Amino acid sequence: VRDLWTMIRNSRRQFLPVILENYKRLKAEGEITEKYANGKNAKKFINALTGWGSIQRMSEAPDKISRKLAKDTSAIEKAIAAQDYATTMSLLDQYKEDVPQLGSATWEWTDQA
């Protein structure tokens, strides 16, 4: 039987490096290319955002927090598909704000992570 903290720790190791790597890439490039939007990295990024959002729930069943993060992820996915850089970055900032402190305390969008 795995406890919640073990699941969070494992999710942090699995998802956050992918999220941070893709965020840094988008920030450095300053745009979303067609190659990125249709490539494996964007899919991995969305899967990582989905997984990290899912682990933020406070109980076994999806709750208000995890549903909000799922909606955020869906909007990010659509913005990436539309190659809308400004909207994507704005939505990523919103996603981070919507992550409760339980999970975001050690998650930074910068090199300090």
Side-chain angles (χ1 to χ4, degrees):
V1 176
R2 295 186 330 176
D3 64 77
L4 178 62
W5 295 109
T6 301
M7 290 176 14
I8 290 171
R9 189 174 54 248
N10 290 340
S11 293
R12 185 175 286 147
R13 268 191 244 129
Q14 180 181 0
F15 300 129
L16 291 186
V18 175
I19 293 170
L20 185 57
E21 175 189 332
N22 281 273
Y23 179 82
K24 286 180 183 179
R25 171 184 279 165
L26 290 172
K27 196 94 165 148
E29 292 180 359
E31 67 177 344
I32 298 174
T33 63
E34 184 175 346
K35 182 179 178 183
Y36 179 84
N38 297 319
K40 289 181 185 178
N41 285 327
K43 288 180 179 68
K44 287 180 183 179
F45 188 35
I46 296 303
N47 287 339
L49 291 170
T50 300
W52 187 242
S54 177
I55 199 67
Q56 301 305 313
R57 62 185 181 263
M58 297 297 160
S59 64
E60 289 294 317
D63 60 10
K64 185 171 100 171
I65 295 166
S66 62
R67 284 193 293 272
K68 172 68 174 129
L69 291 168
K71 286 180 184 178
D72 290 349
T73 301
S74 179
I76 292 166
E77 184 175 23
K78 289 174 185 170
I80 289 174
Q83 299 176 21
D84 186 341
Y85 176 78
T87 300
T88 298
M89 299 311 282
S90 174
L91 289 168
L92 285 168
D93 288 339
Q94 181 63 51
Y95 179 96
K96 185 173 187 284
E97 286 180 28
D98 291 340
V99 174
Q101 285 305 305
L102 171 70
S104 66
T106 60
W107 178 26
E108 298 296 331
W109 288 114
T110 66
D111 290 331
Q112 298 167 357

